[in-house]
Amino acid sequence: MLPAMTNLYTAQATATGGRAGHAKTDDGRLDVNLSVPAAIGGDDGSGTNPEQLFAAGYAACFQGALGVVARRQKVELSDDSTITARVGLQRAGLAFALDVELEGHFPNLSAEEGLALMQAAHEVCPYSVATRGNVDVRLSVR
């Protein structure tokens, strides 16, 4: 059982027109056109798509969690460390599902050290906690 939670922040976004529409946050900081990738029958227009937005959010959040874990473990991450998130859209019968690969790049750590840090971050990252048991998330180090 998780301990009682305290809300720290709430983001709000509104979408219109579905995958070929528009999305905007209530504060106007994110204001994007959406388009459907050709791979799933769309026109591959100039807009972004939900999978790209999810990938960007997950990569940023996960890298933040890595920083927290690294500080707790007294591991120094180099400034050019990166997390790349690849979000796949899968067909699951009549439904759809996501799968995710998180790839870390840690120039100052061995692959084993980097993967161990990623595994620890995967336990605390809000995106990882939210997707656990629902989305196949794979961790790797470049």
Side-chain angles (χ1 to χ4, degrees):
M1 179 182 229
L2 291 174
M5 293 190 195
T6 302
N7 186 47
L8 300 175
Y9 171 74
T10 299
Q12 178 178 314
T14 302
T16 57
R19 286 183 162 272
H22 190 86
K24 181 178 179 181
T25 56
D26 62 327
D27 63 7
R29 291 181 184 182
L30 178 71
D31 190 343
V32 295
N33 290 320
L34 303 169
S35 50
V36 181
I40 59 172
D43 66 359
D44 215 17
S46 62
T48 189
N49 61 67
E51 291 74 29
Q52 289 175 323
L53 293 168
F54 187 76
Y58 203 158
C61 189
F62 196 85
Q63 191 162 31
L66 273 167
V68 169
V69 169
R71 283 189 295 281
R72 287 178 184 166
Q73 296 182 7
K74 299 188 181 354
V75 172
E76 187 170 329
L77 284 176
S78 64
D79 290 339
D80 54 351
S81 295
T82 61
I83 293 295
T84 300
R86 293 179 186 88
V87 175
L89 179 63
Q90 310 293 321
R91 182 177 293 276
L94 296 176
F96 296 93
L98 299 175
D99 76 314
V100 176
E101 179 187 357
L102 297 173
E103 179 184 77
H105 174 65
F106 311 106
N108 66 320
L109 302 177
S110 70
E112 295 77 21
E113 291 169 322
L115 189 57
L117 199 61
M118 288 182 73
Q119 289 166 337
H122 192 47
E123 294 303 312
V124 299
C125 172
Y127 278 62
S128 294
V129 172
T131 59
R132 188 164 293 121
N134 298 307
V135 175
D136 178 27
V137 178
R138 298 170 308 283
L139 307 177
S140 65
V141 175
R142 175 168 50 106

